[in-house]
Amino acid sequence: MTTEAPDRVTGRWTLLLVCTAMFMLLLDVTIVSVALGDIQREFHAGLADLQWVLDAYTLPLAGVLLTAATVSDRVGRRRVFLAGLAVFTLGSLACALAWSPLALDVTRAVQGLGGALLFGTALPLVAAAFPEPRRRASAIGAFGATIAAATAVGPLVGGALVAGPGWRWIFLVNVPVGVVALVAGLLRLRESRAPRPRRADWPGTALLTAGLFAVLYGLVRGNADGWTSAPVLGCFAAGAVLVAGFVVREATAREPMLDLGLFRSRSFTGVVVAVLVMSAGLVGATPYLALYVQNTLGYSAFGSGLRFLPLSVTAFVAAPLVARLGGRVPVRVMVAASLAVTGGGLLALAHLDAGSGWTTLVVGFVLAGLGMGASSAVTSQAAVTAVEPARAGMATGAVNTMRQVGVSAGVAVLGALFQHRVTDAATGELAGRVPATHLRAVADAVGGGAGARVAAAVPAPVRAAVAEAARAATASGMNAVLLAGGLATVAAALVALVLIRPPRPPRQAAAAGGDVVAGATERVTVGS
């Protein structure tokens, strides 16, 4: 009877713990969408509050991810990973106990900070635990499958929890899992550091995070405060100055968090455009689709999760299938095609009206899921082959940062468009159906995502007419969101096709891939 080598046992424990953490982390990106309707009703929250439930989580991921990886290279990946688990678990508990929209937004930001620490250390831990290239490739494959699985089951798991014990359990379920993972990590994870660690760029981190926050705040408050109001214009101005300061900082720092020299590569720029627009166009539209399915079509949270399965399952199935095409189909064709199919799916969805049922969404969901799965399979590899081996880790980290920026921006921009279009349409549809003194309040409620549920608050004689008007107005707003996302994604497909060039010759590409694997313990962050 043989005993398994300690290194192999450590590797398996590392992979299990990292995949568990990533599953929780990414589940909380998608699981929240189907809970927004219940959160809105319990807290009497406006659309801006719901937007921050999403953006308060993704903003720290975007701002801190690269710095978390750099810090872990110096002080130890195990240490930073365990700190991330602790912060994420405590943040999840705080989210479950939130007593107001503001409290939930703040605790989501804490959760997002823990997520950034996990994101920045996950793949380097796996790479350090699997030094043999073949076993490392298998481990990274399992890691990627975990990411796809979390994305696929998020809406369904979220719907089941919301329909069962309640929306707070979408956060509370992380607590026992996080505690067990933390104890196991203390006992089983092995410490590792980069041989040549970089210094953390704290000024760059602060400038990027503050700049993104200012711009997002202006976008979220634009409809309520007025797009030309002093607070909104002030936010945009402050955001522009801070982001410009970030660019200057990165151009002049000795060890920047983001090497701007990467953007000298047309191919890398094309990949960044691809992930940014994909995230903004599709993932950014998902929360509003979830509100539409629940509050306008009238499905429960679990029913909503079921109806998102054509999107999530198709993405889950498409990712590994497309990954097998690597080397057979030019990478620029695959990236551009994934965007074009996603854009086609969004455009196919943009034909809703007051009489639309959930089956109207199926074809668009399938197409968008195919594109999203294909994109997740090819963009990280495209980023790696677009730059020289020494910059591969920075390139993948930058792409994942831009992916989170895209989600945050998409939620804010598309939310502003949705609210403006729905409120205007509802005002017109409801004229003559509700008293003039209540028209604005009802229209604002519909524009805030309440959809046809507003009919429950009006007198019985006009309830059916108000519900019909709310369905028509919400469908109009959703069409605007889906059309904008679809056109932007198709345009990004053309940009990717023009900018992304064929990768280096096979011998150089192989060397690059080997260098990435060998150097994953130095700068590589999670690719999805």
Side-chain angles (χ1 to χ4, degrees), residues 38-450:
D38 284 63
I39 293 171
Q40 183 180 49
R41 287 188 288 278
E42 179 168 334
F43 287 147
H44 304 288
L47 189 65
D49 298 315
L50 300 182
Q51 288 174 290
W52 280 116
V53 171
L54 299 160
D55 277 353
Y57 184 72
T58 55
L59 181 59
L61 282 176
V64 182
L65 191 154
L66 283 170
T67 300
T70 303
V71 170
S72 72
D73 286 347
R74 183 173 294 275
V75 307
R77 285 100 177 216
R78 174 183 180 272
R79 183 177 300 175
V80 174
F81 181 83
L82 293 177
L85 266 177
V87 173
F88 185 85
T89 303
L90 289 173
S92 297
L93 177 60
C95 288
L97 299 176
W99 59 91
S100 69
L102 179 60
L104 181 57
D105 295 341
V106 171
T107 52
R108 280 284 280 173
V110 174
Q111 200 186 30
L113 178 61
L117 300 180
L118 295 173
F119 241 120
T121 55
L123 198 55
L125 275 172
V126 171
F130 292 89
E132 195 272 316
R134 182 172 298 179
R135 293 186 64 234
R136 181 182 295 168
S138 298
I140 291 175
F143 178 88
T146 300
I147 291 173
T151 303
V153 305
L156 191 61
V157 172
L161 290 172
V162 173
W167 69 263
R168 295 178 186 274
W169 278 83
I170 67 174
F171 304 115
L172 200 56
V173 73
N174 292 330
V175 177
V177 178
V179 170
V180 171
L182 186 60
V183 172
L186 287 168
L187 296 175
R188 294 291 186 174
L189 282 183
R190 181 179 297 174
E191 188 60 279
S192 66
R193 294 176 174 84
R196 296 180 298 279
R198 301 163 59 89
R199 292 184 180 276
D201 181 13
W202 294 112
T205 303
L207 287 167
L208 177 61
T209 305
L212 290 175
F213 176 79
V215 173
L216 292 175
Y217 190 85
L219 289 168
V220 170
R221 294 300 307 172
N223 282 315
D225 295 346
W227 293 100
T228 58
S229 65
V232 170
L233 292 178
C235 283
F236 289 149
V241 170
L242 289 166
V243 171
F246 169 75
V247 173
V248 172
R249 165 70 187 178
E250 300 313 288
T252 57
R254 179 177 297 179
E255 293 181 323
M257 65 177 281
L258 176 61
D259 184 357
L260 298 182
L262 292 170
F263 292 93
R264 296 192 188 101
S265 164
R266 289 178 51 186
S267 295
F268 179 77
T269 302
V271 174
V272 166
V273 170
V275 298
L276 189 70
V277 177
M278 172 71 78
S279 297
L282 178 55
V283 183
T286 301
Y288 309 108
L289 280 165
L291 285 174
Y292 172 74
V293 171
Q294 291 184 53
N295 291 347
T296 296
L297 298 186
Y299 291 101
S300 66
F302 184 67
S304 176
L306 284 175
R307 282 154 183 82
F308 270 85
L309 284 179
L311 172 69
S312 53
V313 172
T314 305
F316 177 66
V317 172
L321 294 178
V322 173
R324 294 176 185 175
L325 296 177
R328 302 178 187 177
V329 180
V331 67
R332 71 189 190 105
V333 172
M334 289 199 294
V335 172
S338 69
L339 287 163
V341 173
T342 302
L346 290 169
L347 294 175
L349 289 168
H351 296 90
L352 305 173
D353 56 39
S356 295
W358 77 271
T359 54
T360 307
L361 305 172
V362 173
V363 172
F365 274 173
V366 169
L367 289 174
L370 285 172
M372 182 169 67
S375 175
S376 70
V378 301
T379 49
S380 293
Q381 182 60 29
V384 168
T385 58
V387 300
E388 59 269 28
R391 290 180 169 181
M394 176 71 80
T396 55
V399 164
N400 285 294
T401 294
M402 292 301 175
R403 184 176 279 113
Q404 302 307 321
V405 171
V407 174
S408 298
V411 168
V413 172
L414 296 180
L417 176 61
F418 175 84
Q419 186 174 29
H420 177 75
R421 184 71 189 91
V422 174
T423 302
D424 278 0
T427 301
E429 293 280 350
L430 292 167
R433 302 186 184 190
V434 298
T437 53
H438 296 93
L439 177 60
R440 187 63 190 179
V442 176
D444 285 345
V446 178

Side-chain angles (χ1 to χ4, degrees), residues 266-267 270 332-333 336 491-502:
R266 289 178 51 186
S267 295
R332 71 189 190 105
V333 172
L494 296 176
V495 171
L497 194 62
V498 170
L499 291 183
I500 299 177
R501 297 176 174 180

